[in-house]
Amino acid sequence: MAQKLIVYIAILPLLFFVGCKDSANEKPPAIPKEENTKITDTLASKVNEEEEFVLTEENAIDFFFNYSKTLKENKVRLTTNLGSFTVQLYDNVPYHKANFIYLTKQGYFDNTLFH
């Protein structure tokens, strides 16, 4: 009787592990080549759309002139590890105001030193 118990104790965990299926080794279902091409083309076009505009010294003045026309904000809240404060930006410097707000929205100043 003791031998049967030992056999059951040894075999049951073995059967449990054999019955478990390792899904990490399975390959994902294959996408038909047509679908794969469509997905790749769509992703490539989205990347190209996002990368079309590059802000340079040559186009900055025109860009910020047009960008300033659409701005409704005139304040920026700065948050530091010592607290937060608000900076009011004036309309008499439209390029600087537009530049600062644009860069803030792009996350340019995130985790940088401010002084």
Side-chain angles (χ1 to χ4, degrees):
M1 180 74 161
Q3 290 177 343
K4 285 184 180 180
L5 183 61
I6 292 173
V7 170
Y8 288 129
I9 291 175
I11 291 178
L12 282 178
L14 183 62
L15 290 175
F16 176 74
F17 288 117
V18 171
C20 291
K21 190 175 183 182
D22 187 12
S23 60
N25 293 333
E26 288 183 12
K27 292 182 180 178
I31 298 174
K33 191 168 186 171
E34 294 174 0
E35 286 293 318
N36 195 10
T37 304
K38 288 178 188 175
I39 292 170
T40 304
D41 291 344
T42 303
L43 290 174
S45 66
K46 284 184 180 180
V47 168
N48 289 337
E49 287 174 10
E50 292 176 6
E51 293 184 88
E52 285 180 12
F53 179 74
V54 175
L55 187 61
T56 63
E57 289 184 24
E58 288 79 28
N59 65 10
I61 297 296
D62 292 332
F63 172 78
F64 288 123
F65 177 75
N66 293 325
Y67 186 73
S68 68
K69 291 178 182 178
T70 64
L71 283 178
K72 293 181 175 68
E73 301 93 347
N74 66 348
K75 295 178 182 175
V76 175
R77 176 173 281 297
L78 300 174
T79 303
T80 71
N81 58 349
L82 299 175
S84 298
F85 59 96
T86 302
V87 176
Q88 183 174 359
L89 304 167
Y90 295 102
D91 292 327
N92 61 348
V93 286
Y95 296 112
H96 300 293
K97 174 184 171 181
N99 181 28
F100 191 70
I101 291 174
Y102 175 78
L103 291 174
T104 301
K105 287 183 177 181
Q106 297 295 316
Y108 181 80
F109 300 112
D110 292 353
N111 300 317
T112 61
L113 295 176
F114 187 83
H115 51 91

